[in-house]
Amino acid sequence: MKKIPYASSTDILGYIALSEEAELVVQCDAPPLEVITQLNQAECYIDLGHFFAHALPMREAIWWCIQAMRLRQPDWSREEAKLIDDCERWVREPNEGQRRRIESQLEAMKDDSAPKWLGQAVFWSGTGSIAPVDNPVVMPVEYLYAKAVAGAVNTAAVIPEWPSKEKGHRKYYQGAFQIALDIANGGAGTVKQGGDVCHALLD
């Protein structure tokens, strides 16, 4: 995979606390595509969300998260939809002013808001300090953004609740993972979902 060019998944998995179910099926030294297949077949979807979030480069991981949020576009409030749009603008043209504007929107949102965790991923992206403005610079720990990406993707799988919980949950994850695979293979993140096409236009 062009964007996950590792012969072994050992280093990626070193940053992830796998569930007991995932530990039973994953071969840590296997290539990433094999681990992705193992986790998907075992329906260890939360673990697979963490795997993609840590395996993709930072910008691509956040772009994946944006497109995963788009799969639930009708479910977001106006404030959440605006935040997703602002995060997309940041990925296209990263700048400190936009990153700080995204930060300013987070405090008013609930912790169970998936778009909030997307915004947190942008703020923790490692492109600037996470301390208040005018304070000494404090950079985030490695892969902190990836934890927020995984949190957003996995939260969106269950909140807001689906009319048909099991069907919606599975459909969402499979759509999100198709997007992640497309990006991992160097694509733009385009996937058919429920008859619609989600277009990701990452340059």
Side-chain angles (χ1 to χ4, degrees):
M1 291 181 287
K2 183 178 179 180
K3 296 293 184 177
I4 311 179
Y6 307 111
S8 167
S9 300
T10 303
D11 289 344
I12 300 169
L13 291 169
Y15 291 97
I16 303 170
L18 291 175
S19 65
E20 293 182 4
E21 293 81 3
E23 288 181 344
L24 293 174
V25 299
V26 165
Q27 295 174 289
C28 292
D29 59 350
L33 186 56
E34 287 188 25
V35 171
I36 290 166
T37 301
Q38 290 163 359
L39 290 172
N40 192 47
Q41 289 180 345
E43 299 185 6
C44 294
Y45 297 143
I46 292 175
D47 298 279
L48 185 49
H50 280 280
F51 187 84
F52 274 123
H54 287 78
L56 289 166
M58 179 273 293
R59 188 165 172 252
E60 283 78 0
I62 294 176
W63 184 257
W64 168 53
C65 189
I66 291 166
Q67 300 314 311
M69 298 302 100
R70 298 288 188 205
L71 295 177
R72 301 208 65 177
Q73 190 69 25
D75 297 317
W76 307 128
S77 68
R78 182 168 55 184
E79 292 76 18
E80 289 171 324
K82 180 183 182 301
L83 178 58
I84 294 168
D85 288 343
D86 287 346
C87 289
E88 180 170 333
R89 279 190 285 273
W90 180 87
V91 172
R92 291 179 183 278
E93 296 183 18
N95 65 82
E96 181 63 5
Q98 179 73 354
R99 191 181 72 92
R100 286 293 183 176
R101 282 190 289 274
I102 288 168
E103 177 202 14
S104 70
Q105 298 175 56
L106 303 180
E107 187 175 348
M109 293 188 176
K110 295 180 179 179
D111 287 340
D112 64 358
S113 165
K116 175 179 181 174
W117 287 105
L118 164 62
Q120 200 71 65
V122 171
F123 184 60
W124 288 342
S125 60
T127 59
S129 175
I130 59 174
V133 177
D134 297 330
N135 281 32
V137 171
V138 176
M139 298 303 290
V141 298
E142 192 175 21
Y143 287 109
L144 188 59
Y145 72 86
K147 296 185 185 304
V149 165
V153 171
N154 288 325
T155 298
V158 292
I159 300 173
E161 192 170 316
W162 300 92
S164 174
K165 183 177 180 181
E166 188 65 20
K167 183 178 179 181
H169 171 268
R170 289 171 179 271
K171 185 177 181 181
Y172 165 82
Y173 267 127
Q174 292 308 314
F177 296 151
Q178 287 178 55
I179 294 170
L181 276 172
D182 188 59
I183 294 171
N185 285 316
T190 303
V191 65
K192 288 185 178 181
Q193 176 70 8
D196 296 325
V197 178
C198 302
H199 293 286
L201 302 175
L202 184 62
D203 295 331

